[in-house]
Each structure stands twice: as C-alpha cells, then as structure tokens.
Amino acid sequence: MASRHLARSIVLQSLFEWDFFCQTYKDLGAVDRELAEILQRNLDYFGGEFDEKDFAKKIAQGVANNIEKLDKIIQSSAPERPVGQLSLVDRNVLRIGLYELLFQDKEEVPPKVAINEAIELGKNFGGPSTGKFVNGVLGTVYKELEPPTSNNQTNV
C-alpha cells in the first residue's frame, strides 16, 4: 500500500473512533484533546516506520479544525442525506476528501487525487454504495470549484 494511502487509511480509522466517541458521549471538548492521542496510537500500530506520519497528522488536524465547514458542505452537496445520519465511514471519508480538495496545497494533493483517494477509502472501508456516494458529493464540489470553460471559442 502506498504511504499516503496508508496515511489516509489511518486517519480514517482515527476519525472513525474519534467521531464515534463524540457521538456516544457528546463531550466534544474532551474528544478534541484525544484525537491526537488516537491518531498517534494508530500511527504507531498500523504505520510502523512509514514516512508519512506528518502528512497524516496534517489531514487529521485539518479535518478537526474545519469540521463545521466540511459538514456544511456535505449537507449542501447531499441534502437528502443529513450529516448526522450518514454512517461514520461515509461521513469521515467525505470529510477527508473535502479537506484535501478544499484546503490542501493543490501541488501536494491535486484535486483529482483527493477525489480518487476518497473513493478508494470508501470502497475499502464503507458499504457497497459508499464509493459512488463519495464520488457524487466530491464530484459536485469539484465542479463548483472549476472555472467555467467557454464553448464559444473563436477561430483565428
């Protein structure tokens, strides 16, 4: 498994645990402090000596710092599926994908890579329709980000 894909997988597992804890105990202040601990434990257990630990930390912290913005985007892009009713996997795959799509350096993570990686996470960890759902939401957001192209080109 490629190092960055492994990093994203570990982040997803950490966000899953963190989100589950948030939803179960509703104590966001305590859980915010624990995300770094959860991530570090999972990096040590699943990552071993791989070289993308800082990348994983950047994504996890970025998702946590922007979670309200990310959830609003999810809600507006998939209004028929309220964020609170999404599975933990679907919700956190979308958060990771959106964070990378909107907030990461485009040179480091091109938009299509962010989308493809999120789809793969969805396929690997989610249900049978997660990949398609993630593709639909992230595709919608990506289309809104792209500058419009003109079909009315003049011939010179």
Side-chain angles (χ1 to χ4, degrees):
M1 179 180 296
S3 291
R4 290 217 164 166
H5 185 74
L6 177 58
R8 289 178 182 97
S9 296
I10 293 170
V11 169
L12 176 61
Q13 292 171 33
S14 300
L15 287 171
F16 181 99
E17 181 178 343
W18 178 70
D19 196 8
F20 176 80
F21 201 63
C22 284
Q23 295 301 315
T24 303
Y25 298 104
K26 305 289 188 205
D27 185 6
L28 294 172
V31 177
D32 283 341
R33 291 190 310 270
E34 295 177 10
L35 178 59
E37 295 169 19
I38 293 167
L39 179 63
Q40 189 60 55
R41 184 188 67 236
N42 288 336
L43 285 169
D44 292 343
Y45 187 78
F46 296 112
E49 295 299 321
F50 87 117
D51 57 354
E52 295 291 350
K53 290 183 180 184
D54 288 338
F55 179 75
K57 290 175 183 177
K58 183 178 178 181
I59 293 172
Q61 194 59 51
V63 169
N65 290 342
N66 294 286
I67 201 158
E68 290 178 11
K69 292 176 191 171
L70 297 171
D71 286 353
K72 285 180 184 177
I73 294 168
I74 293 168
Q75 191 61 58
S76 66
S77 299
E80 71 285 351
R81 302 209 29 206
V83 174
Q85 293 178 8
L86 292 175
S87 75
L88 287 170
V89 171
D90 291 7
R91 180 168 52 231
N92 286 295
V93 167
L94 285 171
R95 287 172 175 165
I96 291 169
L98 284 170
Y99 172 75
E100 288 197 285
L101 185 63
L102 300 173
F103 298 104
Q104 282 280 69
D105 176 12
K106 304 302 182 238
E107 296 293 319
E108 184 179 13
V109 180
K112 291 184 180 182
V113 171
I115 293 169
N116 287 334
E117 284 291 324
I119 293 167
E120 287 304 311
L121 285 174
K123 287 179 181 177
N124 291 333
F125 291 96
S129 63
T130 298
K132 291 179 184 179
F133 176 61
V134 168
N135 185 32
V137 172
L138 295 181
T140 298
V141 173
Y142 178 68
K143 286 177 187 173
E144 292 175 9
L145 294 176
E146 281 187 330
T149 57
S150 175
N151 289 336
N152 300 332
Q153 297 176 355
T154 57
N155 293 330
V156 179

